[in-house]
Amino acid sequence: MVESSPEFVQLITPEGERISNPELDPWVADVTDAQLTAWYEDMVVVRRIDTEATALQRQGELGLWPPLLGQEAAQVGSSRATRDDDFIFPSYRENAVAYVRGVPFADIVRVWRGNAQSGWDPYKHQLAAPNIIIGAQTLHAVGWGVGAKYDGVDSVAVTYFGDGATSEGDVNEAMVFAASFQAPVVFFCQNNHWAISEPVGLQAVQSIADRAPGFGIPSLRVDGNDVLAVVAATRLALDRARRGDGPTFIEAVTYRMGPHTTADDPTRYRDKAELEAWKLRDPILRLQRLLDSLGLLTPELEARTQAKADEVAAELRAGCINMPDPEPLTVFDNVYATPNATLEKERDQYAAYLSSFDSSNTTSNGGRS
Ligand SMILES: Cc1ncc(C[n+]2csc(CCOP(=O)(O)OP(=O)(O)O)c2C)c(N)n1
């Protein structure tokens, strides 16, 4: 099996050293110390959200959870680079993006509690609902981008997907369409090296970023564990789209350190040594080291960041546990914009089924006839 090419652009080494890159440097020349520390806080908080949600799932409060452990820089860096009026089309793993977009904490886990079909209001946060159909959101993003172009606005669609998703027809169709219509779209692929148990080498015999030019889309391969490089690459891509130069493809090379979801056991298919090697490239550790070398990693920053993470985790837990169950019949709401006879019939049947549990209606077999 051929591993994808290791070359990528980087601004912070795993040891926390700031290195220069002529292509990316101009895009982060204005980044302040306050921004760097804010991104550090974001990354610590989203890791904490992830840990808390994993614990909630283990305690039976969530049906499932897709951890983002290891992908914090890719998600925080790219979403922090967007503007509020850009629209984001995520997969199911972009929980850090939801945090950055201001989604209430309980709403981040709502869908995983089986409490709603969409956790948050997409229009309030310019963030579509989590998409579990692999790659379908890339088509939605292109449709939105073409619409924005016709509206004459300079907002951009950003879509997130994994390395495995690039094998899907949907993603390839989205790229053809985006290139043909020069749609303002950023294709943001998080190559986390695994599509459940399938290694990236099986999806891509050469680097994923190398595919996009074949569609007529320029691409960048960036170290996805380097938050500064991710911010720079995303700013570059967003700027191209805003100027009317069409789509850009970013491959952020990162690693999923945890399981695919809480229903998965990665020890069954991957080497322990691989995980150990990637731990050395931990995105949070790397930024921590850079902040330290800049004299910014003060005890005050550490205390404030930990306090914020504790507070968010407590709020997330309380919001999850105290979430009221929805009325069962609301599952039929918002399926169609206009009345639909088949759905109405199904709603009536389900209402009758539910009412069969009333004691007045109970039959000899417990009302389950
Ligand atoms: C169309 C479709 N096919 C198959 C699946 C089952 N499935 C769920 S996650 C997954 C792997 C996705 O891997 P990748 O795109 O690399 O994203 P990651 O989960 O690693 O972030 C598959 C095949 C699905 N949800 N949708």
Side-chain angles (χ1 to χ4, degrees):
M1 215 163 342
V2 185
E3 254 293 346
S4 55
S5 122
E7 290 84 36
F8 45 53
V9 284
Q10 192 176 58
L11 293 177
I12 311 173
T13 66
E15 293 72 35
E17 189 195 346
R18 174 72 169 88
I19 52 171
S20 73
N21 177 285
E23 190 185 13
L24 294 190
D25 279 340
W27 296 100
V28 285
D30 63 340
V31 169
T32 60
D33 290 353
Q35 273 172 312
L36 278 182
T37 52
W39 296 336
Y40 173 67
E41 180 189 287
D42 283 341
M43 285 162 63
V44 171
V45 170
V46 297
R47 181 166 289 187
R48 187 60 178 278
I49 289 177
D50 204 54
T51 314
E52 196 67 20
T54 302
L56 283 164
Q57 194 281 331
R58 296 297 186 227
Q59 291 157 1
E61 299 292 347
L62 299 178
L64 190 73
W65 177 252
L68 59 80
L69 186 71
Q71 299 181 220
E72 294 86 352
Q75 295 193 18
V76 167
S78 52
S79 53
R80 280 290 175 212
T82 61
R83 238 169 39 189
D84 287 351
D85 58 306
D86 295 329
F87 210 111
I88 299 181
F89 295 83
S91 82
Y92 39 80
R93 203 181 296 286
E94 279 67 65
N95 295 302
V97 177
Y99 170 77
V100 165
R101 284 265 150 177
V103 171
F105 310 134
D107 282 356
I108 297 179
V109 295
R110 188 177 295 276
V111 85
W112 305 108
R113 194 168 164 88
N115 203 289
Q117 286 142 312
S118 168
W120 51 79
D121 178 346
Y123 297 105
K124 198 165 171 195
H125 305 285
Q126 296 280 99
L127 175 67
N131 204 311
I132 302 201
I133 305 164
I134 302 299
Q137 70 276 15
T138 57
L139 292 165
H140 308 159
V142 176
W144 193 94
V146 171
K149 190 175 169 175
Y150 285 149
D151 285 348
V153 295
D154 70 349
S155 311
V156 179
V158 180
T159 181
Y160 289 83
F161 51 96
D163 42 290
T166 61
S167 298
E168 286 284 348
D170 280 4
V171 176
N172 292 271
E173 288 159 21
M175 289 205 274
V176 171
F177 218 82
S180 301
F181 289 87
Q182 286 295 284
V185 178
V186 177
F187 290 92
F188 194 89
C189 174
Q190 286 171 90
N191 173 0
N192 69 4
H193 281 75
W194 291 90
I196 314 186
S197 54
E198 298 296 354
V200 66
L202 192 67
Q203 313 284 341
V205 292
Q206 64 183 76
S207 86
I208 292 173
D210 286 351
R211 291 188 200 178
F215 290 93
I217 300 178
S219 68
L220 268 156
R221 193 164 201 258
V222 65
D223 186 333
N225 285 7
D226 171 350
V227 72
L228 201 57
V230 174
V231 168
T234 315
R235 284 180 174 180
L236 182 160
L238 287 165
D239 184 67
R240 281 195 74 245
R242 289 197 214 295
R243 283 190 284 111
D245 289 346
T248 302
F249 187 103
I250 297 172
E251 177 188 357
V253 182
T254 180
Y255 193 74
R256 158 170 67 75
M257 294 207 272
H260 169 74
T261 66
T262 45
D264 173 45
D265 174 8
T267 62
R268 293 178 62 188
Y269 55 81
R270 77 181 181 194
D271 272 354
K272 216 174 159 196
E274 184 182 287
L275 174 61
E276 294 308 315
W278 276 94
K279 277 186 187 167
L280 302 174
R281 305 176 55 187
D282 186 307
I284 296 185
L285 198 59
R286 177 180 312 203
L287 185 55
Q288 206 171 29
R289 287 172 173 155
L290 177 72
L291 292 176
D292 197 21
S293 72
L294 297 172
L296 298 170
L297 192 71
T298 59
E300 194 272 328
L301 173 70
E302 286 286 57
R304 183 160 42 91
T305 304
Q306 287 310 321
K308 171 96 190 234
D310 287 346
E311 191 188 312
V312 170
E315 213 177 299
L316 171 79
R317 171 168 287 271
C320 173
I321 290 173
N322 298 320
M323 200 181 287
D325 287 339
E327 285 302 320
L329 288 176
T330 57
V331 75
F332 297 98
D333 293 348
N334 307 315
V335 179
Y336 292 98
T338 50
N340 178 286
T342 309
L343 196 72
E344 291 305 321
K345 193 174 160 199
E346 285 175 3
R347 183 203 301 269
D348 291 346
Q349 284 171 339
Y350 190 47
Y353 171 72
L354 291 173
S355 68
S356 72
F357 292 97
D358 291 351
S359 51
S360 55
N361 252 337
T362 304
T363 57
S364 55
N365 68 354
R368 289 170 177 78
S369 54

